[in-house]
């Protein structure tokens, strides 16, 4: 084992921990040192354990990992639980959704329809942070269609678990 890479040592540690099919497994930063493919394979292992009824207590700084694997997430701040819930519940704490698209050529923000919040223009990209994404998206699409415009690179994104973590971590005590 002394000749194994960091990622291989982690895999060996987990393999040893799983001998005997434990009911509870603690995994502390299990994918640190893994390449992206190995991380995804390991996520399948963790999901398989959950499907077999094993309780997995996972600590990680990789919010995408928590997003995919966790049934419940606790965000720690200063050694205390600052937020607790399912990934979706924690994402709802931010509440804002961002609509983004490239400003069509020859169009000015002043001509946009009334939205729930003021659009911002950053480097040719329009951003609308909204708590009413369906209504704002419908207004934008109707407005664009009535003018024969496309909204290039249109995306609608909910805050990620990482966004929530950063917001909580940035709060002052």
């Amino acid at each position: 084992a002394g000749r194994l890479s960091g990622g291989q040592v982690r895999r060996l540690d987990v393999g040893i921990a799983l001998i005997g099919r434990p009911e509870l497994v603690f995994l502390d930063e299990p994918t640190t040192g893994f390449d992206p493919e190995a991380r995804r394979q390991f996520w399948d292992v963790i999901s398989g354990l959950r499907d077999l009824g094993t309780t997995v207590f996972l600590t990680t700084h990789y919010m995408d990992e928590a997003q995919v694997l966790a049934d419940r997430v606790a965000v720690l701040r200063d050694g205390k639980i600052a937020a607790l819930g399912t990934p979706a519940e924690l994402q709802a704490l931010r509440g804002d959704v961002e609509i983004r698209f490239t400003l069509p050529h020859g169009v000015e923000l002043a001509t946009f329809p009334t939205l729930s919040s003021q659009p911002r223009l950053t480097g040719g990209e329009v951003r609308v942070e909204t708590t009413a994404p369906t209504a704002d998206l419908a207004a934008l699409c109707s407005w664009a269609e009535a003018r024969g415009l496309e909204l290039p690179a249109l995306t609608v994104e909910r805050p990620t678990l990482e966004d929530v973590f950063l917001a909580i971590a940035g709060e002052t005590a």
Side-chain angles (χ1 to χ4, degrees), residues 111-115 134-151 154:
T111 65
F112 277 34
T114 301
L115 303 172
T134 303
D136 284 343
L137 190 58
L140 281 167
C141 289
S142 294
W143 171 85
E145 185 175 13
R147 286 159 182 74
L149 298 171
E150 286 295 322
L151 301 176
L154 176 65

Side-chain angles (χ1 to χ4, degrees), residues 66-150:
Q67 179 89 39
V68 170
L69 297 174
D71 295 324
R72 290 177 43 94
V73 175
V75 177
L76 300 178
R77 185 169 173 267
D78 298 328
K80 296 179 181 159
I81 294 177
L84 177 66
T86 66
E89 289 169 344
L90 294 182
Q91 286 173 279
L93 292 175
R94 282 282 308 267
D96 54 339
V97 171
E98 190 170 66
I99 300 170
R100 290 187 224 169
F101 56 92
T102 303
L103 184 67
H105 182 70
V107 175
E108 296 182 18
L109 285 181
T111 65
F112 277 34
T114 301
L115 303 172
S116 63
S117 65
Q118 187 64 33
R120 296 183 336 263
L121 182 61
T122 308
E125 182 178 64
V126 178
R127 293 174 177 237
V128 180
E129 287 188 16
T130 177
T131 56
T134 303
D136 284 343
L137 190 58
L140 281 167
C141 289
S142 294
W143 171 85
E145 185 175 13
R147 286 159 182 74
L149 298 171
E150 286 295 322

